[in-house]
Amino acid sequence: MPADPLHSAGKPQRSTTSQPPSGSGASAIEVRRSARRRRTVSAYREGDRTVVLIPARMSEAEEKRWVTVMLDKLAAQESKRVLGDAELSERAERLSAQYFDGRARPTSVRWVTNQNTRWGSCTPSEGSIRLSHRLQGMPEYVVDYVLLHELAHLLVPGHGPRFWRLLEAYPRTERAKGYLEGVVAAERLPHAPGARDE
């Protein structure tokens, strides 16, 4: 099979730039293919751009899958830099402005350590929002979804159709719900004997 001139050693690697999925945090994604790279995939932030390095032989479907995986990995790493309560409040204010025209105005937004069976809670009469510390370290889009969920309760107290219509504005609602459902399901799995020793 003849060598692909775009991917042969010594030639510049092929690079493509695209817009990221909504809520990923970066303004553009640049995928760089390299013939020297055989199996590994890596990613890093470069200003407001995310650079994903992949092997040249990877198919477009594999590329799409790995870009999503690496964006989630980066987001999880960035979320490990724990936001303080003040930063969490600023984030809630920004999300309210972006998705609810600033109508949801909490009086307080903070992390709590006493919520082990729920991800967040809201007391509409007080305007207070509390997020479980278990969200710390999860991808940003998941934290944003939980914040938006609680902000929506400031506008609509129950979980009726009006409430879910509000959350339809956030493009990663279904994905975030799936992520959280996966975490809950994993916590319920029985641990195989000796699994901790591996």
Side-chain angles (χ1 to χ4, degrees):
M1 185 166 90
D4 180 348
L6 280 176
H7 304 135
S8 60
K11 299 276 184 183
Q13 54 198 10
R14 184 166 60 115
S15 175
T16 57
T17 303
S18 61
Q19 291 306 309
S22 299
S24 68
S27 65
I29 300 163
E30 182 178 338
V31 177
R32 295 180 187 163
R33 290 175 173 264
S34 170
R36 290 185 203 168
R37 190 173 282 269
R38 296 286 175 215
R39 290 187 297 249
T40 61
V41 176
S42 62
Y44 60 91
R45 301 277 194 220
E46 193 174 76
D48 66 349
R49 174 184 305 270
T50 302
V51 178
V52 181
L53 307 170
I54 64 172
R57 62 177 173 69
M58 203 172 264
S59 71
E60 279 188 40
E62 289 174 310
E63 175 184 317
K64 278 185 181 175
R65 185 178 73 80
W66 275 107
V67 165
T68 300
V69 166
M70 297 313 288
L71 286 174
D72 285 348
K73 251 187 182 176
L74 281 174
Q77 288 168 359
E78 289 163 356
S79 290
K80 286 180 183 169
R81 295 189 307 253
V82 177
L83 299 173
D85 289 349
E87 294 164 306
L88 205 56
S89 289
E90 288 170 16
R91 193 178 193 121
E93 190 177 318
R94 199 167 54 246
L95 289 167
S96 176
Q98 184 176 355
Y99 294 101
F100 303 146
D101 299 321
R103 291 178 295 133
R105 295 188 185 107
T107 55
S108 70
V109 182
R110 61 192 174 93
W111 295 108
V112 293
T113 56
N114 63 350
Q115 287 188 158
N116 294 316
T117 58
R118 52 174 59 183
W119 299 112
S121 61
C122 173
T123 307
S125 60
E126 296 173 4
S128 62
I129 290 175
R130 295 157 306 280
L131 295 192
S132 172
H133 72 287
R134 296 183 307 140
L135 289 165
Q136 294 170 344
M138 290 190 188
E140 285 181 11
Y141 74 90
V142 176
V143 176
D144 285 352
Y145 163 72
V146 176
L147 262 177
L148 279 165
H149 185 107
E150 301 311 330
L151 285 165
H153 279 309
L154 294 176
L155 304 173
V156 180
H159 286 106
R162 252 183 80 221
F163 174 85
W164 292 110
R165 272 196 302 276
L166 280 174
L167 287 178
E168 284 174 5
Y170 184 56
R172 301 187 92 180
T173 290
E174 290 307 314
R175 187 167 183 198
K177 283 168 65 177
Y179 184 100
L180 293 171
E181 287 167 5
V183 169
V184 170
E187 288 171 352
R188 291 181 181 156
L189 289 174
H191 294 288
R196 290 191 174 126
D197 300 325
E198 291 176 7

